[in-house]
């Protein structure tokens, strides 16, 4: 029996720390473990005993790339516990803030983390040597997103302006944001055209998708939970459908949906479940990019992200156009004992929060289910399907393919509990 | 060209992201200093030693303790960036409770989780050449730090309180004018007095200023109606270790 062990340093161009172990026997993968060894930070534990209105500021610190998602899911869970629904201009402002995060986070992933895979560069910065106009376009797009987050939220990373019921201060006028966003919209359309011309491996997976669904919007801020098998459930039923379990090889928990592991949340899921609700320009860009009604090729997720940037820019412009400052920056939210659930679409997928507030207005229990914990088992399935027919390839080539397959999902490993240590064992 | 390395320990990635968020400056920074090792941004792993290492995150696992010693050995200058690296971060709240209890809340098999009893700043383990504060750090201050190390001088980063920035910005004092609890008087400047500009009290992202008079502030906060529990909590966020983890900070 021959044993072969290969090691490559941490997985790169992802947020967090991870490793991959593959065992194979007679040309078959017998064991495959995506190991997330990011140190646990215990947010759900440290939230206990905090005041009911603190989780938006504290959970923002789970992730520097998508703090708004944490703030939005936390706010909605706590507001629902307190019997408050934020509507009208305040909800519009929350959406606008969230579109800003989508633009900056997707632009970061598309240009600096993912595109180098297709063009053969180690980084976005290295790519700038021969693709400078594209990299500059990406940086400008990312900047437009960050400026939008800063204008509404106060700061691009860990915004300070969000509170239960709305905001601490609302902007008097959003029109100065329109010019930069119109330029960003053009850059986003150019991005779709640019990435759709990349050379994509011919891979398709039979994904089971999960995403929020809203009757009138391409769901980001709120909605019911929809699954591609045709079922749907309200967010407060999440614990009945999604169960997290600990696996020995990872500090990130694995989620099961209705008893089965291996579902996918994120851009491919949102597109499959909600594409008809994309903005007009985003829909047209998707059609011109040849995405089809459902995209099952994970390598093409970069195209879906680019389409989502178009959507975010166009919708943000629409919100700015119709913005009338609300009379009050926030609706009053008083603590009351009970349980609240909240979910929103982080750039990487559905982010669920649940809190129980006690009689003293303190957090008694907190539960956070980030997108990467949900996707982890499905990413392992992607890797298995990719590796098995290619076990004969040199390990360096195989590692590169695996890293690419993982990056397709833009895993935010810091959220879920960095990157790739491939151990391949031929038994 | 001199070499820059960026390292990550327990953290949210927000401080190293701040470098990528220098959209207007990133390509010129890269033309000035070789981004030799920066896993979040590049698959290329340029070999050390490195002239400047930026370290994000706190030390929270046995492996971290060994890894930071390696980082120190391969770094000519080591600068910590952000509240986690300079103070232990929000995850240092475990220091007040107990990591086993925390692990039991989150994991069904806490015995499978390797984590240290305490989350500690980098300076608790290795000598640090400069600490850049903030949760997250400020982009302008980061560029100042990189520029200063390239020029061989100390970074010009203020050690005075947020109150000074508030006055410079023309913010009304939220504590005096609105009775809003605010940590500005004891918190180091750097954010540009952001929270008071948004009509809320400072919650201490940049940690304590050089000589904080917490006793005086606490008397004022109590007079404004804060209870002991609230007072304790307000110091116990992202810089719990450097604020002393209590209202007696």
């Amino acid at each position: 029996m021959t044993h072969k062990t290969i090691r490559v340093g941490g997985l790169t161009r992802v947020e967090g720390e991870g490793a991959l172990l593959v065992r194979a026997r007679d040309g078959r993968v017998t064991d495959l473990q995506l190991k997330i060894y990011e140190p646990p930070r215990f947010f759900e534990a440290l939230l206990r005993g905090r005041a009911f209105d603190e989780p938006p500021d504290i959970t923002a610190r789970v992730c520097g790339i998508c703090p708004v998602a944490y703030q939005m899911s936390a706010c909605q869970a706590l507001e629902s516990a307190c019997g408050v629904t934020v509507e009208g201009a305040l909800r519009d402002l929350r959406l606008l803030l969230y579109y800003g995060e989508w633009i900056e986070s997707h632009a970061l992933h598309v240009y600096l983390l993912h595109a180098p895979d297709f063009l053969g560069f180690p980084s976005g910065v290295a790519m700038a040597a021969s693709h400078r106009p594209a990299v500059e376009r990406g940086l400008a797009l990312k900047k437009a997103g960050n400026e939008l987050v800063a204008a509404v939220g106060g700061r691009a990373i860990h915004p300070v302006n969000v509170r239960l019921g709305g905001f601490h201060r609302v902007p008097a006028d959003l029109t100065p944001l329109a010019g930069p966003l119109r330029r960003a919209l053009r850059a986003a359309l150019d991005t779709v055209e640019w990435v759709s011309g990349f050379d994509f491996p011919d891979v398709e997976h039979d994904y089971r998708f999960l995403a929020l669904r809203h009757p009138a919007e391409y769901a980001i801020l709120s909605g019911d939970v929809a699954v591609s098998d045709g079922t749907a459930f309200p967010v407060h039923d999440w614990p009945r459908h999604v169960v997290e379990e600990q696996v020995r090889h990872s500090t990130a928990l694995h989620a099961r949906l209705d008893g089965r592991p291996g579902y996918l949340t994120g851009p491919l899921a949102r597109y499959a479940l909600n594409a008809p609700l994309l903005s007009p320009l985003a829909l047209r860009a998707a059609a011109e990019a040849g995405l089809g009604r459902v995209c099952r090729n994970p390598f093409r997720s970069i195209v879906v992200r680019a389409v989502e940037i178009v959507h975010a820019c166009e919708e943000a412009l629409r919100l700015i156009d119709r913005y009338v400052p609300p009379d009050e920056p926030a609706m009053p939210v008083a603590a009351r004992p009970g349980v609240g659930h909240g979910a929103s679409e982080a750039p990487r997928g559905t982010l669920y929060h649940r809190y129980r507030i006690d009689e003293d207005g303190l957090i008694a229990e907190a539960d956070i289910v980030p997108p990467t914990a949900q996707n982890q088992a499905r990413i392992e399935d992607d890797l298995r399907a990719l590796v098995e027919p290619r076990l004969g390839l040199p390990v360096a080539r195989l590692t590169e393919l695996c890293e690419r397959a993982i990056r397709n999902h833009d895993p935010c490993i810091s959220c879920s509990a960095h990157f790739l240590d491939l151990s391949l064992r031929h038994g | 060209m001199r070499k820059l390395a960026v390292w990550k320990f327990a953290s949210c990635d927000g401080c190293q992201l701040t470098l990528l968020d220098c959209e207007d400056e990133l390509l010129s920074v890269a033309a000035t200093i070789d981004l030799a090792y920066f896993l979040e941004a590049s698959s290329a792993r340029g070999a050390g030693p490195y002239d400047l290492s930026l370290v994000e995150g706190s030390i929270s696992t046995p492996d971290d303790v060994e890894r930071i010693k390696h980082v120190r050995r391969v770094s000519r200058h080591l600068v910590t960036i952000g509240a986690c690296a300079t103070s232990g971060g929000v995850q240092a709240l475990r220091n007040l409770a107990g990591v086993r209890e925390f692990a039991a809340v989150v994991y069904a098999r806490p015995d499978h989780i390797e984590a240290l009893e305490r989350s500690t700043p980098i300076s608790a383990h290795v000598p640090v050449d400069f600490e850049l504060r903030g949760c997250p750090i400020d982009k302008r201050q980061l560029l100042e730090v990189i520029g200063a190390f390239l020029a061989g001088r100390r970074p010009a980063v203020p050690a005075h309180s947020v109150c000074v920035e508030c006055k410079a910005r023309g913010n009304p004092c939220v504590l005096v004018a609105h009775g809003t609890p605010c940590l500005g008087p004891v918190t180091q400047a750097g954010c540009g007095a952001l929270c008071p500009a948004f009509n809320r009290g400072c919650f201490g992202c940049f940690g304590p200023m050089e000589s904080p008079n917490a006793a005086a502030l606490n008397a004022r906060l109590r007079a404004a109606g804060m209870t002991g529990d609230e007072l304790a909590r307000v110091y116990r966020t992202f810089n719990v270790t450097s604020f002393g983890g209590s209202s007696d900070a």
Side-chain angles (χ1 to χ4, degrees):
Chain A
M1 192 183 289
T2 56
H3 288 272
K4 195 162 139 197
T5 303
I6 301 97
R7 287 194 176 278
V8 187
L11 197 54
T12 55
R13 284 184 277 128
V14 296
E15 298 95 22
E17 300 193 356
L20 180 67
L21 170 72
V22 179
R23 286 198 184 91
R25 181 189 289 271
D26 302 328
R28 305 262 323 192
V29 172
T30 53
D31 191 19
L32 187 147
Q33 300 174 353
L34 177 63
K35 301 157 92 94
I36 290 180
Y37 52 85
E38 180 80 13
R41 297 174 70 208
F42 306 114
F43 272 86
E44 288 139 316
L46 62 84
L47 284 163
R48 292 176 157 214
R50 304 300 300 206
F52 82 108
D53 56 357
E54 289 187 288
D57 286 321
I58 293 177
T59 61
R61 269 69 183 180
V62 173
C63 180
I65 294 101
C66 59
V68 173
Y70 280 85
Q71 294 185 324
M72 293 299 111
S73 289
C75 280
Q76 294 184 116
L78 291 156
E79 287 157 4
S80 111
C82 300
V84 172
T85 306
V86 172
E87 286 165 333
L90 289 172
R91 184 180 189 276
D92 281 0
L93 270 178
R94 283 187 167 176
L95 254 178
L96 186 62
L97 175 68
Y98 218 148
Y99 287 137
E101 177 159 291
W102 269 43
I103 297 167
E104 61 83 11
S105 175
H106 275 359
L108 170 77
H109 190 255
V110 167
Y111 281 90
L112 295 183
L113 309 184
H114 207 187
D117 275 348
F118 297 94
L119 300 173
F121 292 92
S123 70
V125 171
M127 201 167 74
S130 50
H131 295 79
R132 188 159 183 121
V135 174
E136 286 182 344
R137 181 178 64 215
L139 289 170
L141 192 49
K142 182 165 156 299
K143 184 180 175 183
N146 276 327
E147 286 181 341
L148 181 49
V149 176
V152 181
R155 183 162 63 187
I157 302 171
H158 305 327
V160 301
N161 193 26
V162 171
R163 64 178 298 171
L164 296 186
F167 295 88
H168 291 278
R169 197 189 81 183
V170 291
D173 179 18
L174 293 172
T175 50
L177 293 168
L181 269 170
R182 273 195 291 270
R183 289 191 289 278
L185 177 56
R186 278 194 296 276
L189 288 164
D190 290 344
T191 304
V192 177
E193 196 183 332
W194 184 59
V195 298
S196 64
F198 289 170
D199 187 18
F200 299 105
D202 191 16
V203 173
E204 289 217 332
H205 297 304
D206 187 19
Y207 288 119
R208 188 165 55 131
F209 294 121
L210 177 145
L212 294 182
R213 184 189 275 154
H214 186 280
E217 299 167 349
Y218 189 80
I220 291 182
L221 187 57
S222 58
D224 284 341
V225 185
V227 183
S228 55
D229 61 12
T231 60
F233 54 87
V235 172
H236 63 77
D237 275 349
W238 180 279
R240 286 178 44 208
H241 294 273
V242 181
V243 176
E244 284 185 301
E245 58 181 10
Q246 188 177 1
V247 293
R248 185 73 176 88
H249 63 270
S250 177
T251 50
L253 301 171
H254 276 215
R256 286 171 169 267
L257 171 63
D258 293 325
R260 287 164 52 206
Y263 67 95
L264 189 74
T265 183
L268 293 178
R270 289 191 291 255
Y271 183 80
L273 290 160
N274 300 320
L277 289 160
L278 281 166
S279 71
L281 282 174
L283 263 180
R284 205 167 77 199
E288 285 169 6
L291 270 179
R293 179 59 192 84
V294 177
C295 175
R296 295 188 178 84
N297 181 341
F299 291 88
R300 289 169 74 98
S301 64
I302 192 170
V303 186
V304 179
R305 281 191 188 87
V307 166
E308 289 192 335
I309 304 175
V310 174
H311 173 82
C313 292
E314 196 177 4
E315 287 298 298
L317 280 163
R318 196 175 58 81
L319 292 175
I320 289 169
D321 191 48
R322 78 174 188 206
Y323 178 68
V324 177
D327 296 334
E328 294 294 332
M331 297 170 63
V333 183
R336 69 180 196 195
V339 175
H341 309 256
S344 69
E345 285 291 329
R348 288 154 196 82
T350 312
L351 170 62
Y352 166 83
H353 286 219
R354 177 180 63 88
Y355 298 96
R356 185 163 67 79
I357 303 174
D358 71 13
E359 303 285 336
D360 299 319
L362 303 178
I363 303 296
E365 276 172 47
D367 185 22
I368 299 172
V369 184
T372 298
Q374 300 175 66
N375 286 344
Q376 204 182 340
R378 180 58 240 189
I379 297 173
E380 289 181 352
D381 293 345
D382 273 25
L383 290 168
R384 195 173 286 111
L386 194 73
V387 164
E388 197 161 88
R390 298 173 178 84
L391 280 169
L393 284 179
V395 167
R397 175 89 186 100
L398 208 48
T399 303
E400 187 202 324
L401 260 175
C402 288
E403 288 210 15
R404 290 188 58 179
I406 295 168
R407 269 188 220 113
N408 290 336
H409 298 290
D410 190 16
C412 191
I413 301 179
S414 33
C415 309
S416 49
H418 259 168
F419 207 6
L420 193 65
D421 239 338
L422 174 67
S423 298
L424 181 60
R425 296 203 180 110
H426 289 287
Chain B
M1 194 160 27
R2 280 176 282 182
K3 292 180 182 174
L4 175 71
V6 183
W7 309 90
K8 178 192 149 66
F9 292 85
S11 66
C12 78
D13 279 49
C15 291
Q16 54 178 314
L17 179 67
T18 303
L19 183 53
L20 296 178
D21 275 0
C22 296
E23 290 100 359
D24 292 335
E25 300 89 0
L26 181 63
L27 295 179
S28 30
V29 168
T32 314
I33 187 166
D34 177 17
L35 302 177
Y37 186 93
F38 187 179
L39 291 189
E40 190 185 22
S42 177
S43 305
R45 294 160 218 265
Y50 309 98
D51 296 286
L52 175 60
S53 275
L54 301 175
V55 181
E56 172 188 286
S58 70
I59 303 301
S60 73
T61 68
D63 178 60
D64 288 350
V65 176
E66 297 309 311
R67 203 157 57 92
I68 191 61
K69 290 176 187 159
H70 166 75
V71 172
R72 181 68 264 188
R73 277 196 300 273
V74 298
S75 309
R76 191 162 150 248
H77 297 292
L78 191 160
V79 172
T80 58
I81 55 170
C84 296
T86 60
S87 170
V90 67
Q91 55 274 9
L93 285 165
R94 78 174 68 159
N95 303 3
L96 305 171
V99 73
R100 254 150 272 291
E101 180 197 327
F102 269 32
V105 169
V106 181
Y107 296 99
R109 290 294 305 268
D111 51 313
H112 289 176
I113 298 300
E114 278 214 341
L116 294 172
E117 190 67 32
R118 297 168 63 81
S119 167
T120 44
I122 302 301
S123 62
H125 302 271
V126 294
V128 169
D129 298 296
F130 187 78
E131 293 186 320
L132 185 61
R133 307 271 199 88
C135 183
I137 56 170
D138 179 81
K139 188 191 287 193
R140 292 155 295 188
Q141 290 198 338
L142 176 63
L143 291 171
E144 163 60 19
V145 166
I146 295 173
F149 276 88
L150 283 171
R153 59 171 174 82
R154 290 295 288 177
V157 171
H160 56 237
S161 77
V162 170
C163 292
V164 177
E165 290 185 309
C166 238
K167 300 296 165 286
R169 193 167 175 159
N171 291 334
C173 177
V174 295
L175 184 57
V176 172
H178 309 135
T180 303
C182 179
L183 292 189
V186 298
T187 300
Q188 181 173 298
C191 62
L194 202 52
C195 286
F198 281 83
N199 294 330
R200 69 180 296 195
C202 165
F203 53 107
C205 295
F206 280 63
M209 64 173 303
E210 58 185 353
S211 51
N213 187 346
L217 176 64
N218 293 344
R220 187 73 178 75
L221 293 175
R222 283 197 190 90
M226 276 186 110
T227 65
D229 284 352
E230 289 167 339
L231 203 51
R233 273 201 305 272
V234 76
Y235 286 100
R236 289 176 183 172
T237 54
F238 318 117
N239 291 282
V240 56
T241 307
S242 55
F243 270 125
S246 77
S247 51
D248 302 320

